[in-house]
Amino acid sequence: MLKNIDPALNADVLHALRSMGHADTLALVDTNFPADSIARQTTLGKLLRMDNIPAARAMRAILSVFPLDTPLQPSVGRMEVMGDPDQIPAPQQEVQAEIDAVEGKSTPMYGIERFAFYEQAKEAYCVIATGETRFYGCFLLTKGVIPPAAEL
């Protein structure tokens, strides 16, 4: 255990999050996503896991250390429901609440068509599989920056 680090963040996930740079993306995915085969095509080249927790809990843990990209552009994409791209299923509503809580304001996600999501996930730095068993618990996050501390 480490102080002030969410226990849902294992060593492999922490290493990947720290290794990513500005504008790198990560795919946070549910149990139905072809995570292993997609992860092999990413920069990291292997699947990371945050098993036994739903997408919203995983998102809360990640956002405790991961800066989202600037508020000038959407930083989190969600896999659209096939045939109803404007529908926001429960896992996405729960993740949206976590994002808004961290950002301190409404920060809407953008939709990504299902097959486009697969292709974008292949271009990500890494794929993190959660224990989310409900459909459409898949997200793409873009890493932002942490500004330098004010000089003394």
Side-chain angles (χ1 to χ4, degrees):
M1 292 293 291
L2 297 171
K3 291 168 61 173
N4 304 316
I5 299 289
D6 190 307
L9 297 171
N10 60 56
D12 290 335
V13 169
L14 281 170
H15 182 265
L17 297 177
R18 175 62 180 93
S19 297
M20 292 173 66
H22 182 222
D24 280 342
T25 60
L26 74 85
L28 183 68
V29 301
D30 62 30
T31 58
N32 289 298
F33 189 80
D36 187 64
S37 62
I38 297 286
R40 291 171 192 248
Q41 299 175 64
T42 65
T43 301
L44 188 62
K46 67 177 183 174
L47 179 62
L48 301 176
R49 297 189 160 280
M50 294 178 75
D51 289 324
N52 302 316
I53 59 174
R57 177 65 183 94
M59 184 66 78
R60 180 183 331 135
I62 290 168
L63 293 180
S64 73
V65 297
F66 186 90
L68 290 174
D69 207 359
T70 72
L72 301 176
Q73 61 191 23
S75 299
V76 182
R78 60 174 182 78
M79 182 186 285
E80 293 176 348
V81 175
M82 288 184 64
D84 191 1
D86 295 327
Q87 179 186 347
I88 309 294
Q92 295 181 4
Q93 292 174 26
E94 295 164 10
V95 164
Q96 183 66 68
E98 295 294 341
I99 295 166
D100 292 348
V102 166
E103 295 298 301
K105 63 181 178 186
S106 176
T107 309
M109 292 182 281
Y110 62 96
I112 307 168
E113 186 273 332
R114 178 182 161 205
F115 295 106
F117 188 99
Y118 293 154
E119 292 306 312
Q120 289 180 36
K122 292 174 187 176
E123 301 297 320
Y125 182 85
C126 63
V127 174
I128 302 172
T130 69
E132 182 61 68
T133 58
R134 297 171 294 175
F135 296 152
Y136 297 101
C138 298
F139 308 89
L140 282 177
L141 290 75
T142 302
K143 188 172 185 182
V145 297
I146 299 172
E151 293 188 44
L152 300 176

